[in-house]
Amino acid sequence: KVADLKGLKQGQLRLAAITTAKYFIPRLLGPFCQLYPGIEISLQVTNHERILDRMLNNLDDLYIMSQVPEHLDINSQAFLDNSLVVIAPADHPLANQANIPIERLSQEPFIMREPGSGTRRAVQSLLDEHAVKVKVKLELGSNEAIKQAIAGGLGISILSRHTLITDASEFSILDVQHFPIKRMWYIVHPSGKQLSIVARTYYEYLVDAAQKFVEKTATVSLKSNIAESGQ
Ligand code: PGA
């Protein structure tokens, strides 16, 4: 069918993604746009609560999020791991310690995401589960601003591991008990909504690209394990 030929797929694709996905999704859009130059894309990046609002108002074709709303009639597919880790400056005194008790977090100045953030909700629920109270020194509405604050020595925080994709060397991931908080990214759309050909094409592309990413990183870590064990 002519309309299915890659170069001829045309139309608009409206995406909305949670803030941590911005480290990954735009990188994948480059190759997608090259494959399908006729597709025009808009990408909204915002927090969990605002993504839910957008979904309720039917503003986008597809949503990328970590916590799938249970009270809505939606289709969702998990496509990539999104672990939350404890992030500190590279030279933090706890950086070389193993198996740090979670209670120890209460002694560090803590930087927290804003209310409405899914990261914040996941962090708070783990801390509550272990009756740990952190000293929130600063509340910031952006992962990138939190990273700058960590680098500036203002405190530690808990963020998606993907936030370190480009500058991991400036930071350390602390080995704290009960971490990482295991989460996934899901690609979501309301069940009643028929996906356009363009949206369906992107959906399949994303699931496939995530799979390749996982295979690639698995090979890399396998190779580095082999290198470490001197084989
Ligand atoms: P957030 O979303 O930007 O709302 O923190 C991230 C997540 O839910 O994993």
Side-chain angles (χ1 to χ4, degrees), residues 173-226:
I173 294 180
L174 302 186
D175 178 13
V176 179
Q177 286 169 3
H178 308 292
F179 284 90
I181 302 177
K182 292 267 180 201
R183 310 179 85 213
M184 300 290 294
W185 277 332
Y186 296 86
I187 186 159
V188 175
H189 63 94
S191 304
K193 188 166 162 175
Q194 174 93 28
L195 287 185
S196 66
I197 293 183
V198 166
R200 165 76 39 208
T201 305
Y202 183 74
Y203 188 108
E204 282 159 13
Y205 169 83
L206 182 59
V207 171
D208 184 57
Q211 184 57 39
K212 292 198 176 113
F213 178 77
V214 171
E215 281 161 14
K216 198 167 115 201
T217 45
T219 326
V220 170
S221 64
L222 193 69
K223 278 193 189 139
S224 66
N225 284 344
I226 293 171

Side-chain angles (χ1 to χ4, degrees), residues 18-20 46-48 66 82 113 116-120 183:
I18 49 168
T19 64
T20 53
T46 185
N47 74 16
H48 177 82
S66 265
N82 178 30
R113 283 283 305 275
S117 148
T119 305
R120 176 182 172 126
R183 310 179 85 213

